Amino acid sequence: MEMTFRWYGKDDPVTLEQIRQIPNVTGIITAIYDVPVGEVWPKEKIMELKKTVEDAGMHISAIESVPVHEDVKLGKPTRDRLIENFCTTLRYLSEAGIKIVCYNFMPVFDWTRTDLAFDLPDGSNVLIYDDATASSWDITKEDVSLPGWDASYTKEQIRSVMNEYKSVDEETLWENLKYFLERVIPVAEEVDVKMAIHPDDPPWSIFGLPRIITCKENLERFCKLVDSPYNGLTLCSGSLGASSQNDMPDIIRHFGGMGRIHFAHVRNVKHTGNRSFEEAAHASNYGSLDMYEMMKAYHEVGFDGPIRPDHGRMIWGETGKPGYGLFDRALGATYLNGLIEAIEKNDK
Ligand code: CS2
Ligand code: MN
């Protein structure tokens, strides 16, 4: 496997020069952020991004993410043009030698937390999710700032998109996902780009919206929607692992064994109650996940794709994008590298 690190482009306070100094990080995970969702990523912009990363001595290992337009998830008639655009972007990425694409199929909101800077006793702060707090919010009325979704939504737009989802239950969302995959996966096969869906975070319904990429059974159903090795997963332990019902090493062995894991997000999470959790330092004893067992599972299935530390705490006074500071993610990468070296040497 290859150790990688997420970089949010030129506006990211974390620089490529800093990332390059993290031991063993050779790959960058990035995206183009200034093209409206649903439009084609121009070839020139892709080439420019590739050059920027390569000039810094690294390469692009995967795109995270090519976003899926809301109309595709809603199954609206405009989806055909949007899916075509998505396919054109895949073709251009392939031409640039970028062969793994992460995306998600979460209605309206990407990852969602109730506090973006919860103070821990050691003076660091983390992202947390408390279900009682989230359930008490009326997202169409209150001014809540959520990190993972498009901040350009006005209240009026939120109200209208939430309204549109009233007719989309889980089964309809499955159908819309299938419709998308049936059109995208053949192109992915043709241009040799592995599609890797990111699980829903948290892995349960929020604000009354359906969420389906949540557990082993549903991942299995997902893989069968279009049964192709190009229809795979970004296995995010912090997202799936937020539910204590998801046995992460088992899920890694199962889908890794099937060759369906194309990209690994490895982080820890601490269960603090029913449907409530805190993000945590990467080390096993800081959270509820057994990081050693997960890394062993990746090793056992011979996983050879990109792996990255995921959200980190804010430590050492760093400020920046919640979850995406430099310091704690770099510690995460180093910790994962240590586990990998130990597991590999132990196996010889
Ligand atoms: C998150 C997501 O867990 C994560 O990696 O930061 O925003 C993730 O990048 C998207 O859901 C993937 O499409
Ligand atoms: Mn993730």
Side-chain angles (χ1 to χ4, degrees):
M1 47 194 126
E2 181 194 35
M3 188 56 65
T4 66
F5 209 78
R6 190 174 195 181
W7 179 63
Y8 278 95
K10 290 209 160 121
D11 294 335
D12 194 330
V14 179
T15 66
L16 288 172
E17 290 66 33
Q18 289 169 324
I19 296 172
R20 194 184 179 187
Q21 293 169 1
I22 308 167
N24 290 333
V25 171
T26 51
I28 289 294
I29 307 300
T30 189
I32 287 171
Y33 297 97
D34 58 357
V35 173
V37 175
E39 296 309 314
V40 175
W41 287 8
K43 224 189 265 187
E44 312 75 62
K45 275 186 189 277
I46 296 172
M47 295 317 288
E48 191 190 317
L49 181 65
K50 179 181 157 82
K51 184 171 183 309
T52 305
V53 171
E54 289 175 1
D55 285 350
M58 294 170 289
H59 64 105
I60 299 178
S61 304
I63 292 296
E64 178 174 350
S65 306
V66 179
V68 177
H69 194 279
E70 225 45 59
D71 287 4
V72 175
K73 298 177 227 167
L74 283 162
K76 287 165 83 167
T78 41
R79 67 180 157 177
D80 290 323
R81 182 187 76 87
L82 296 161
I83 293 174
E84 241 173 71
N85 288 351
F86 193 101
C87 291
T88 306
T89 298
L90 287 193
R91 290 183 192 279
Y92 290 169
L93 290 170
S94 173
E95 283 171 31
I98 301 167
K99 301 290 188 178
I100 300 175
V101 166
C102 169
Y103 68 102
N104 73 70
F105 218 75
M106 290 178 244
V108 197
F109 307 101
D110 193 323
W111 55 288
T112 300
R113 300 290 181 268
T114 53
D115 188 344
L116 299 181
F118 176 79
D119 290 322
L120 293 177
D122 66 4
S124 62
N125 66 70
V126 285
L127 300 149
I128 66 164
Y129 178 90
D130 176 62
D131 206 49
T133 307
S135 308
S136 72
W137 286 345
D138 181 347
I139 210 70
T140 59
K141 291 203 185 102
E142 280 175 60
D143 235 345
V144 284
S145 119
L146 295 166
W149 53 294
D150 187 349
S152 65
Y153 273 126
T154 61
K155 285 242 170 62
E156 200 36 60
Q157 285 168 326
I158 284 284
R159 248 189 291 258
S160 106
V161 73
M162 294 294 280
N163 208 26
E164 289 185 283
Y165 270 103
K166 285 197 175 133
S167 58
V168 179
D169 59 8
E170 282 186 13
E171 282 311 309
T172 313
L173 191 61
W174 278 112
E175 277 167 32
N176 296 345
L177 177 54
K178 185 165 198 266
Y179 186 95
F180 170 75
L181 293 172
E182 280 172 347
R183 281 147 191 86
V184 169
I185 297 300
V187 176
E189 286 174 342
E190 183 196 324
V191 299
D192 186 31
V193 170
K194 290 176 181 142
M195 289 285 290
I197 198 167
H198 189 285
D200 302 344
D201 185 353
W204 50 76
S205 163
I206 53 164
F207 311 130
L209 294 163
R211 286 194 157 200
I212 53 180
I213 309 299
T214 53
C215 60
K216 185 177 180 185
E217 198 189 339
N218 288 15
L219 291 174
E220 189 79 45
R221 179 170 175 186
F222 167 81
C223 288
K224 287 190 183 129
L225 287 180
V226 171
D227 203 359
S228 158
Y230 286 84
N231 181 30
L233 313 171
T234 295
L235 208 87
C236 178
S237 65
S239 302
L240 288 168
S243 163
S244 53
Q245 264 137 52
N246 285 331
D247 175 344
M248 291 315 301
D250 171 61
I251 289 177
I252 294 165
R253 280 194 188 92
H254 182 77
F255 296 99
M258 285 163 60
R260 289 297 184 97
I261 302 179
H262 300 322
F263 181 21
H265 286 184
V266 188
R267 73 176 153 91
N268 206 347
V269 69
K270 184 176 166 191
H271 305 143
T272 51
N274 186 31
R275 295 195 158 181
S276 298
F277 59 88
E278 292 172 11
E279 296 194 357
H282 279 69
S284 299
N285 56 317
Y286 279 76
S288 305
L289 305 186
D290 189 328
M291 306 296 282
Y292 172 68
E293 281 302 325
M294 288 199 297
M295 293 313 297
K296 236 173 52 181
Y298 277 117
H299 176 74
E300 274 169 34
V301 298
F303 177 70
D304 64 357
I307 169 173
R308 70 165 180 82
D310 210 345
H311 307 170
R313 303 164 299 152
M314 280 299 172
I315 62 171
W316 303 337
E318 188 178 14
T319 53
K321 211 173 164 50
Y324 284 97
L326 170 66
F327 302 145
D328 200 40
R329 285 189 301 146
L331 292 179
T334 296
Y335 169 74
L336 296 176
N337 280 329
L339 288 177
I340 295 167
E341 181 177 348
I343 291 164
E344 282 175 356
K345 287 191 172 159
N346 220 355
D347 196 29
K348 282 201 178 118

